[in-house]
Amino acid sequence: MAWTEAVEKLWNMLRDHRPSLYPMEEWDDLHDIRISKLPQEGLDSRALSNAKAVKAGLHLLNESLEASHKLSQELHTPLGSYWHAIMHRMEGDYGNSKYWFRQGGAHPVGDALQAAAKARVQSYAAEAFGSDSLKNRLDKLVSGPSWDPYLFVDIVEQQVTVVQNEQAEELLTELQWVEIKLLVQYSFQQTGGHSLEL
């Protein structure tokens, strides 16, 4: 099975799973095996690098932090830094996450992510989050001109370590899911693949 078809098949198994903000173990061990066996024959060197990025993202959808980390550490590109940053945020190493976001710089999916975040945050009532501070940060996140990954790290840290509000957890998990899906799609397109169904 060729790269494109194999990724699409695996994507269809993973795309609806919303990984936790702070996962404790892999969602499905078999998915890790499937990801590691994705065929890469025929991909040129640039596409091979981006194939690692696709795999790193698929591992994050599967909540497999260690496998994703191993791949993102091998990617000395802005895209690799972005995957590295998300992985560290998910493991709760928030300072390290910000470091890797700085290494990656602004990302092309930022505008789409900002638009998705704005729509989702506005669908919640102001009192839904149980914390004025968290709500104020969310409002700042979606009112900015572009996606602010550093502020999102701060919001996730506040939710995971202090607020622990069920509706905030639901919203932030949704935003993380959108972030990962957009990045997987972008990474896949860099390998020569087409748009994946989000």
Side-chain angles (χ1 to χ4, degrees):
M1 184 182 300
W3 166 256
T4 301
E5 292 79 20
V7 170
E8 287 174 345
K9 184 176 181 182
L10 194 48
W11 172 256
N12 288 330
M13 292 181 208
L14 286 165
R15 74 171 183 224
D16 292 329
H17 175 68
R18 288 162 171 78
S20 169
L21 296 176
Y22 190 71
M24 302 307 279
E25 61 184 38
E26 294 82 8
W27 177 51
D28 186 327
D29 291 339
L30 286 176
H31 287 326
D32 274 351
I33 295 167
R34 291 179 182 112
I35 294 165
S36 70
K37 292 187 175 190
L38 283 169
Q40 298 175 36
E41 295 80 20
L43 296 177
D44 63 28
S45 60
R46 181 181 168 279
L48 279 171
S49 175
N50 288 306
K52 284 184 183 180
V54 171
K55 290 171 135 187
L58 292 173
H59 279 302
L60 288 184
L61 276 175
N62 193 44
E63 303 184 50
S64 183
L65 302 184
E66 187 174 323
S68 179
H69 191 215
K70 182 178 178 185
L71 289 166
S72 65
Q73 283 183 309
E74 296 172 5
L75 295 170
H76 306 289
T77 64
L79 183 57
S81 294
Y82 216 94
W83 283 122
H84 205 158
I86 294 171
M87 188 289 306
H88 281 300
R89 189 185 67 218
M90 290 172 73
E91 77 169 347
D93 188 351
Y94 303 111
N96 207 4
S97 176
K98 287 181 176 182
Y99 169 83
W100 286 104
F101 277 123
R102 278 191 298 278
Q103 298 306 304
H107 197 277
V109 302
D111 290 343
L113 184 52
Q114 180 72 357
K118 187 175 287 193
R120 283 165 170 83
V121 169
Q122 291 173 347
S123 70
Y124 282 78
E127 63 277 358
F129 305 113
S131 165
D132 289 339
S133 172
L134 187 67
K135 176 61 176 157
N136 290 339
R137 282 180 159 178
L138 282 164
D139 288 342
K140 182 178 178 185
L141 179 72
V142 299
S143 64
S146 60
W147 179 252
D148 184 343
Y150 314 105
L151 181 55
F152 190 63
V153 169
D154 291 339
I155 293 168
V156 169
E157 180 178 15
Q158 183 179 5
Q159 164 59 22
V160 170
T161 62
V162 179
V163 177
Q164 300 176 359
N165 175 276
E166 188 175 319
Q167 290 194 11
E169 186 86 12
E170 176 184 287
L171 171 63
L172 297 177
T173 299
E174 176 87 4
L175 294 180
Q176 175 176 265
W177 176 63
V178 171
E179 174 187 44
I180 293 171
K181 285 179 24 170
L182 287 169
L183 280 165
V184 168
Q185 182 176 68
Y186 176 86
S187 301
F188 183 56
Q189 288 171 332
Q190 301 310 300
T191 69
H194 53 75
S195 292
L196 294 165
E197 183 181 332
L198 294 178

